[in-house]
Amino acid sequence: MAAYMLIAAKIEDRDEFRAQYAAAAAALVAERGGKYIVLGPGAELLEGTLEGYTSVAVSEWPDRETALAFWNSPEYAEIKKGREGLAEVQVLLAGD
């Protein structure tokens, strides 16, 4: 059964975020078996407390184990450093 990683982000500097993080993260998602099904700015908060978190990414994974292997990998830990100071994120994993 598929698993889905849902990310809501508040990005301070979109150009720098793309340069320092987004491209490398997207490449590793694909390499590790995931695929984006939603990606980009323009999310609208309808309820809750995520005001300003207008960028959303939803990636689909074959299963929870594959998603967690990506998330906990040393490669992603290194890539994740590229978003420090550029974005606040909330991340959920659902499914399987």
Side-chain angles (χ1 to χ4, degrees):
M1 179 179 175
Y4 298 88
M5 191 173 295
L6 302 95
I7 301 171
K10 183 189 299 186
I11 299 174
E12 301 301 324
D13 183 334
R14 187 164 301 282
D15 291 334
E16 195 66 22
F17 178 83
R18 286 181 176 149
Q20 298 296 324
Y21 171 78
L28 188 61
V29 165
E31 179 182 313
R32 290 296 189 105
K35 68 177 181 177
Y36 286 110
I37 56 175
V38 176
L39 184 62
E44 180 180 353
L45 181 66
L46 300 179
E47 184 175 342
T49 60
L50 292 176
E51 190 68 41
Y53 287 73
T54 58
S55 291
V56 173
V58 179
S59 55
E60 181 178 46
W61 299 85
D63 51 48
R64 180 178 289 267
E65 291 77 24
T66 304
L68 288 173
F70 157 80
W71 185 259
N72 294 314
S73 71
E75 296 88 355
Y76 185 62
E78 190 62 31
I79 290 170
K80 199 163 42 169
K81 292 177 186 176
R83 71 174 192 220
E84 290 176 3
L86 299 174
E88 296 176 31
V89 300
Q90 302 289 317
V91 183
L92 296 168
L93 181 60
D96 192 36

